[in-house]
């Protein structure tokens, strides 16, 4: 979950970098931006993951079960975040927000 969100956060950082290089030409290539992008790229997904793990820790720390009575049985091989528990929104929500912000910056 964390690494998938990190990929989208890094794409946001790339969008901001492209915006800075094309629109704000002067001062866009400063060394401080590297530290800001690194902090955002690795740090922005942490709150979403921590909150979702704190709320639904049983989803993240379950063992693979092949018993049909297990409530997660049908989702074990399909998705790591079962949609019926609402935990999937801890991934889809930030992902949609990041893609929207990147789209606004680039268009």
């Amino acid at each position: 979950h964390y690494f998938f969100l990190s990929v989208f956060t890094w794409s946001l950082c790339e969008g901001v970098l492209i915006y800075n290089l094309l629109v704000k030409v002067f001062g866009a290539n400063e060394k401080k931006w590297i530290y800001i992008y690194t902090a955002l790229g690795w740090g922005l997904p942490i709150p979403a993951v921590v909150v979702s793990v704190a709320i639904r820790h049983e989803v993240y720390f379950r063992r693979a079960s092949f018993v049909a009575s297990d409530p997660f049985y049908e989702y074990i091989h399909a998705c790591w975040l079962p949609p019926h528990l609402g935990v999937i929104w801890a991934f889809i929500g930030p992902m949609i927000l990041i893609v929207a912000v990147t789209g606004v910056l680039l268009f």
Side-chain angles (χ1 to χ4, degrees):
H1 183 188
Y2 171 74
F3 290 112
F4 282 123
L5 282 179
S6 292
V7 168
F8 285 99
T9 309
W10 277 106
S11 71
L12 173 66
C13 291
E14 287 183 58
V16 172
L17 177 65
I18 291 171
Y19 174 80
N20 283 337
L21 290 175
L22 295 177
V23 176
K24 297 183 171 197
V25 178
F26 300 107
N29 200 11
E30 295 178 12
K31 193 142 187 130
K32 71 174 184 175
W33 283 105
I34 295 172
Y35 299 116
I36 293 171
Y37 294 145
T38 303
L40 286 175
W42 293 116
L44 204 57
I46 291 174
V49 174
V50 168
V51 168
S52 62
V53 168
I55 292 172
R56 293 285 188 176
H57 59 87
E58 70 274 1
V59 174
Y60 287 90
F61 302 111
R62 69 180 187 272
R63 294 179 184 213
S65 174
F66 300 102
V67 179
S69 63
D70 184 5
F72 301 114
Y73 177 74
E74 64 266 11
Y75 298 104
I76 287 175
H77 298 293
C79 183
W80 82 100
L81 296 172
H84 71 282
L85 295 176
V87 184
I88 193 74
W89 288 103
F91 174 70
I92 292 177
M95 182 191 67
I96 290 172
L97 179 69
I98 289 170
V99 168
V101 170
T102 306
V104 167
L105 281 175
L106 296 178
F107 297 108

